């Protein structure tokens, strides 16, 4: 039973790292889009779509760790 709990905890921590990588991807995507629009006067045309998909990925991979750490908003 302890092995299963350790496995689940390891997966949730791994999900937190994947979620952080997704956030870095979103930030890089926004920076590239800003650079392209301001300097080169063009656009990637798909940055908002990729950003939306990355946000869903971010939420799904980070939710288990958030629940484990009791990080959801609670009002007392």
């Amino acid at each position: 039973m302890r092995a299963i709990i350790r496995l689940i905890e390891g997966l949730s921590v791994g999900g937190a790292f994947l979620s952080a990588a997704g956030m870095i991807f979103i930030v890089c995507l926004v920076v590239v889009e800003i650079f392209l629009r301001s300097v080169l006067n063009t656009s990637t045309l798909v940055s908002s779509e990729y950003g939306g998909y990355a946000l869903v990925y971010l939420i799904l991979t980070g939710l288990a760790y958030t629940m484990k750490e009791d990080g959801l908003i609670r009002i007392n």
Side-chain angles (χ1 to χ4, degrees):
M1 185 68 170
R2 291 186 192 268
I4 294 173
I5 292 174
R6 272 189 273 135
L7 174 68
I8 291 172
E9 286 180 354
L11 288 174
S12 70
V13 170
F17 282 115
L18 290 175
S19 181
M23 181 61 83
I24 292 170
F25 173 73
I26 291 173
V27 169
C28 291
L29 191 64
V30 169
V31 168
V32 166
E33 185 67 23
I34 290 170
F35 175 76
L36 286 176
R37 286 186 182 214
S38 62
V39 175
L40 301 177
N41 205 18
T42 187
S43 177
T44 59
L45 301 175
V46 293
S47 63
S48 63
E49 195 169 335
Y50 285 165
Y53 291 139
L55 181 63
V56 170
Y57 170 81
L58 176 94
I59 291 169
L60 291 177
T61 56
L63 193 58
Y65 185 76
T66 304
M67 294 290 286
K68 179 179 156 279
E69 294 296 317
D70 200 23
L72 294 175
I73 298 172
R74 306 242 192 270
I75 299 173
N76 294 329

